[in-house]
Amino acid sequence: MSQTKGALSGITVVDLTRVLAGPYCTQMLGDLGADVIKIERPGAGDDTRKFAPPFVADADGNSTGESAYFMSANRNKRSVTIDLTTPEGQDLVRRLVADADALVENFKTGDLARYGLGYDDLRAINPKLVYCSITGFGQTGPYASRPGYDFLIQGMGGIMSLTGEPGREPQKVGVPIADVMSGMFAAVAVNAALRHAAVTGEGQYIDIGMLDTQVAWLVNQGMNFLHSGVAERLGNAHPNIVPYQVFETEDGHIVVAVGNDAQFRTFAGILGEPELADDPAFATNAARVGNRERVSGHLQAIMKGRPSAHWLAELEANRIGCGPINTLDQVFADPHVLAREMVRNIPHPKAGPEGVKIIASPLRLSETPVAYRHHPPLLGENTDEVLREKLGLGDAELAALHAAGTIA
């Protein structure tokens, strides 16, 4: 794998996260070059190791026992198994933190403090430490003690009320987007805090609540509601732009995004009805939004008369936003996705000579590019290596910790 140094090369992150929001954050930090030390429970590890099938297959098509879900958020990390419930395990984490730059955790509020691993405990050891907690509801407020789950947060945070067809059951987003966005916000905050620590020598505490992040990324829909009192479920339609939706064609469906009135005039010409651009109900975006059902219904009747390929060719030639609705097999076979190398093969000890397929990072940095330095680790794969390297433990000390069950 590439050994290119990333922007965060030289940064050590102690990773006490599991499932998705926290691991997604630390994977981003690892992609950018940080040395991420993932602490896992002996014998069990991250919950997502058991979120399967599917499992990754080896060269002969046999299951490796490594879950695809775990692989999605844990590359560029080293796995160390430590029992945090023991004083010896807690001491090992404190010693790792002493020379680390950041710690990211997503235990329930207050849990790590019970082990002497809360922020106040660890900043006494390392004043420069950036300590990031990701929880369902943050460290304060009436819900702070509740556990947080993506589905729950999508429901409570409003996105499900905006997703799905009008008059039908509310829908969650098809991927765990509340987890992913929480991880992304956390990664941004950690990077900002690392910059501050580098300049001032001062660490800090970062409190990321999943419900907070869900409310934050309501963006235009949230602002629409704050200033109009209205935010309705519109299916694939846009609340502020018409037409900006899915249209049924003669043989399928396509997405059309008409962003302004000049584009609508061009669109009307492509449809064979240029006069629509002068009709008061169609002429401006505000009018089209106000007459949404009439406008969309009229346009839909025309779009259904020709196949998708016809419309896509015409719209693309005239620079009108459009595209197919791809299934995942079509996504991963798309020539642009292939050209951008959004699927990579990286070596893996169980996957055979071809390695394992991963979805690549979308971060493109010209001078410090993302490197795929470590495969998603096997449980405890790097325990002895990391403890030798970071703490200077010898064979006898490691053997004693193994024998006691503190590490595995």
Side-chain angles (χ1 to χ4, degrees):
M1 276 175 278
S2 171
Q3 296 302 311
T4 302
K5 287 190 174 182
L8 295 181
S9 179
I11 296 293
T12 298
V13 177
V14 175
D15 179 1
L16 292 173
T17 71
R18 66 261 190 228
V19 189
L20 187 55
Y24 201 80
C25 166
T26 52
Q27 177 171 270
M28 291 182 70
L29 302 176
D31 285 351
L32 292 169
D35 181 15
V36 179
I37 300 169
K38 183 177 179 72
I39 309 298
E40 300 190 71
R41 292 172 295 169
D46 190 313
D47 304 60
T48 61
R49 290 186 180 275
K50 297 181 176 63
F51 284 12
F55 294 100
V56 173
D58 64 17
D60 297 320
N62 300 314
S63 172
T64 63
E66 299 294 308
S67 83
Y69 196 120
F70 177 81
M71 294 268 184
S72 73
N74 286 287
R75 65 170 174 260
N76 283 332
K77 305 179 186 183
R78 297 191 284 174
S79 173
V80 175
T81 45
I82 298 178
D83 185 352
L84 298 184
T85 67
T86 67
E88 295 81 7
Q90 295 155 17
D91 182 62
L92 289 174
V93 173
R94 281 190 282 269
R95 292 171 66 185
L96 287 170
V97 165
D99 291 318
D101 299 282
L103 179 147
V104 184
E105 62 92 8
N106 62 348
F107 282 70
K108 284 185 287 188
T109 300
D111 272 9
L112 283 181
R114 295 191 294 109
Y115 298 143
L117 299 174
Y119 175 60
D120 290 337
D121 303 306
L122 298 184
R123 73 170 172 176
I125 300 169
N126 181 355
K128 284 187 66 175
L129 182 69
V130 172
Y131 189 118
C132 178
S133 295
I134 305 172
T135 57
F137 300 95
Q139 303 296 308
T140 60
Y143 305 157
S145 63
R146 294 186 186 181
Y149 298 93
D150 175 90
F151 197 3
L152 170 67
I153 298 300
Q154 287 198 42
M156 294 181 70
I159 194 64
M160 287 182 65
S161 76
L162 303 173
T163 306
E165 294 294 330
R168 302 288 296 277
E169 181 180 80
Q171 290 290 311
K172 69 179 180 66
V173 178
V175 296
I177 191 66
D179 275 327
V180 170
M181 290 300 294
S182 297
M184 292 181 70
F185 276 110
V188 171
V190 169
N191 274 292
L194 287 170
R195 168 63 177 164
H196 177 77
V199 172
T200 68
E202 178 183 54
Q204 61 184 295
Y205 183 71
I206 299 169
D207 173 11
I208 300 291
M210 290 175 63
L211 184 58
D212 297 346
T213 67
Q214 175 60 79
V215 172
W217 71 262
L218 290 174
V219 285
N220 63 307
Q221 284 279 45
M223 287 295 286
N224 288 347
F225 175 78
L226 289 177
H227 293 276
S228 72
V230 176
E232 53 188 325
R233 193 157 61 249
L234 296 172
N236 289 313
H238 193 290
N240 305 107
I241 307 172
V242 174
Y244 196 102
Q245 64 194 80
V246 169
F247 282 110
E248 184 179 359
T249 67
E250 187 177 72
D251 60 355
H253 295 82
I254 64 170
V255 170
V256 176
V258 176
N260 56 50
D261 295 337
Q263 289 182 6
F264 183 77
R265 182 170 292 276
T266 301
F267 181 52
I270 293 169
L271 296 181
E273 296 191 10
E275 66 277 8
L276 285 177
D278 298 315
D279 184 318
F282 291 75
T284 67
N285 183 67
R288 293 191 295 274
V289 171
N291 294 279
R292 179 188 300 275
E293 290 187 10
R294 175 185 168 189
V295 170
S296 293
H298 185 84
L299 300 178
Q300 175 60 86
I302 300 171
M303 295 291 290
K304 198 170 180 181
R306 298 269 195 150
S308 296
H310 167 82
W311 293 123
L312 292 173
E314 289 292 317
L315 294 167
E316 187 172 323
N318 287 277
R319 304 184 68 82
I320 300 296
C322 64
I325 300 172
N326 288 333
T327 55
L328 293 194
D329 60 321
Q330 294 170 319
V331 170
F332 290 121
D334 185 279
H336 192 82
V337 174
L338 293 172
R340 297 288 287 178
E341 298 184 287
M342 283 306 299
V343 175
R344 303 288 183 96
N345 276 64
I346 61 173
H348 189 278
K350 289 188 175 183
E354 296 300 317
V356 62
K357 289 182 179 179
I358 60 165
I359 298 175
S361 170
L363 303 178
R364 307 298 171 105
L365 290 80
S366 65
E367 303 305 318
T368 54
V370 166
Y372 302 94
R373 297 168 290 114
H374 299 296
H375 57 267
L378 306 180
L379 179 60
E381 179 180 357
N382 312 106
T383 300
D384 289 5
E385 167 196 323
V386 168
L387 296 182
R388 288 181 194 276
E389 174 190 321
K390 298 293 187 180
L391 305 184
L393 300 189
D395 291 344
E397 293 169 291
L398 290 169
L401 289 166
H402 279 290
T406 303
I407 63 176

